[in-house]
Amino acid sequence: MRRLTRLAGAAAGSALLLTACSGTLEPGQNDGDVLHLALNQTESHPSYIALDHWGDYLEEQTDGRWSIEIYPNETLGAQAEALQLVSDGSVEMAIVSGPQLENLNKDFIALNLPTTFDDIDHQMLVLGKEEVVGELFNSLRETNNIVVLGGFTQGNRSVYTTFGPVESPDDLHGKKLRVQESELNLAMAEALGASATPMAYGELYSGLQSGVVDAAENNEISYATQRHYEVAPYWSQTNHLVGLDYLIINSTMLDSMTPEDRAIFDKGWELARAEHVELWVADTETALQQAVEDGATVTIVDETIFDEALEPLVDRFLTTETQLKVYEGARALSEKEE
Ligand code: GCU
């Protein structure tokens, strides 16, 4: 397995010079390593903070034998590249958004639909149910050497624009809406009345600034930490989707851990997930306040108009047996279900 041992430098366009060595990792024998983790968020984002604390915990509990080195701000490339790096083992871990995994296995669509999760609590409940997500999370082992360890919420996603409030899909007519790179997301933009432009997260600020796109959709925390409100100051509270990020790890690395170290690693990840939810709730409130103080306008809209526009995606995109099983398993845990 090829492993990253030293980052020789990051050049423009995030091309990295990696010095890799080939060493074998025997299952259950590894009692120490540096786990490099690719992230596309800033250091003030809840995901960075919770992951950083996970690294501290791991280091403390293993007397420094294991550690996590986070590369934020797409330093190791956008999520599509990070996925590839984890798959080939040159980077051990990454946070990637649901749509990225949908590109490797369509069954992940079941957890990417606008109607899958009611809210963060429901989402976290589903992610904790091995019988619902267990198979899916291990489905990339054979094909891509990737295991999904679990998820971080992306909270509710809403629409924001450079040109004015969006109170119904009509307001997006003829406008270019940036979406994450996946078939479902392209269809979502069209269902919302817009013309879809897939684009990596890190390119979006300049995309909005230069007019390559007119609008985007994300949560309050990304809107604030990426400072998108500076170039797209119209936030419309559509709450059209509860998004999901995944923590992925190279399966050879995961399997190499001694059972004792694996238990510490898992415990730290559990603590990180709990901290993430707490930070998420607190930061969501302050993020929008900050954006408003800096000139953003918030428009409260009738969310049901957007929900109705997106509803047909469920039947269109749920086609495989596994998708239906996962989706129905998730919905059965909703308080809204009888
Ligand atoms: C959120 C999410 C990221 C994702 C981004 C996007 O910020 O947490 O993982 O990349 O949305 O819209 O691309």
Side-chain angles (χ1 to χ4, degrees):
M1 176 185 171
R2 192 169 153 265
R3 298 180 50 216
L4 168 65
T5 52
R6 187 164 58 89
L7 287 177
S14 70
L16 274 177
L17 301 172
L18 306 178
T19 308
C21 75
S22 48
T24 45
L25 287 170
E26 297 301 327
Q29 306 284 314
N30 190 358
D31 66 358
D33 238 309
V34 179
L35 301 168
H36 303 88
L37 191 156
L39 181 69
N40 67 358
Q41 308 289 359
T42 66
E43 290 93 329
S44 60
H45 190 280
S47 299
Y48 181 92
I49 297 168
L51 292 166
D52 193 40
H53 291 165
W54 180 23
D56 292 345
Y57 176 88
L58 195 60
E59 225 168 312
E60 273 162 32
Q61 298 291 318
T62 63
D63 299 322
R65 287 181 289 108
W66 289 92
S67 60
I68 297 176
E69 221 165 276
I70 308 171
Y71 292 84
N73 301 310
E74 288 191 7
T75 330
L76 296 182
Q79 288 185 345
E81 282 100 48
L83 198 59
Q84 195 47 51
L85 292 173
V86 173
S87 177
D88 73 23
S90 24
V91 167
E92 290 77 18
M93 300 199 285
I95 293 282
V96 294
S97 189
Q100 299 291 339
L101 296 191
E102 171 191 325
N103 294 330
L104 298 184
N105 174 4
K106 294 252 171 287
D107 291 336
F108 278 94
I109 288 179
L111 300 182
N112 291 345
L113 286 162
T115 47
T116 306
F117 302 116
D118 298 341
D119 50 33
I120 299 176
D121 287 344
H122 174 225
Q123 186 180 53
M124 291 300 126
L125 182 68
V126 173
L127 292 194
K129 296 284 181 200
E130 175 74 19
E131 62 276 23
V132 179
V133 296
E135 239 173 84
L136 186 64
F137 285 6
N138 279 290
S139 65
L140 303 174
R141 224 179 217 288
E142 301 303 321
T143 47
N144 303 86
N145 296 322
I146 285 173
V147 171
V148 175
L149 275 191
F152 275 162
T153 194
Q154 294 179 5
N156 269 301
R157 296 180 72 108
S158 286
V159 172
Y160 53 97
T161 80
T162 58
F163 58 84
V166 172
E167 294 185 69
S168 82
D170 287 347
D171 297 325
L172 281 172
H173 185 72
K175 303 291 186 187
K176 283 169 280 173
L177 174 67
R178 176 270 171 176
V179 287
Q180 299 179 76
E181 310 98 314
S182 89
E183 211 187 311
L184 172 63
N185 273 260
L186 294 177
M188 194 172 77
E190 275 149 27
L192 286 173
S195 98
T197 306
M199 186 183 279
Y201 186 54
E203 288 168 23
L204 183 51
Y205 185 100
S206 61
L208 288 162
Q209 191 176 36
S210 63
V212 169
V213 290
D214 311 300
E217 52 83 49
N218 218 313
N219 55 62
E220 291 84 346
I221 296 175
S222 284
Y223 186 54
T225 53
Q226 295 293 310
R227 307 179 75 89
H228 286 168
Y229 56 81
E230 291 176 353
V231 285
Y234 300 96
W235 175 272
S236 300
Q237 198 74 46
T238 55
N239 289 338
H240 56 270
L241 167 78
V242 185
L244 180 57
D245 275 337
Y246 293 107
L247 191 274
I248 58 166
I249 183 164
N250 178 276
S251 55
T252 311
M253 174 53 79
L254 183 67
D255 296 344
S256 80
M257 294 178 183
T258 64
E260 300 74 30
D261 290 347
R262 173 69 199 269
I264 296 169
F265 178 78
D266 286 347
K267 180 71 194 164
W269 169 232
E270 187 189 322
L271 296 172
R273 277 178 291 149
E275 184 183 12
H276 188 269
V277 173
E278 271 174 41
L279 291 171
W280 194 271
V281 174
D283 284 15
T284 297
E285 268 181 41
T286 50
L288 212 49
Q289 268 164 26
Q290 184 207 320
V292 168
E293 274 161 28
D294 288 347
T297 309
V298 173
T299 305
I300 302 301
V301 303
D302 179 358
E303 292 175 27
T304 58
I305 301 178
F306 295 87
D307 293 346
E308 279 163 20
L310 295 175
E311 179 78 46
L313 296 179
V314 180
D315 283 346
R316 183 169 150 203
F317 279 88
L318 284 185
T319 52
T320 73
E321 215 174 292
T322 306
Q323 284 173 340
L324 285 164
K325 205 172 106 199
V326 174
Y327 183 79
E328 279 159 16
R331 292 308 307 151
L333 293 163
S334 158
E335 282 180 2
K336 287 189 192 163
E337 299 294 304
E338 298 285 283

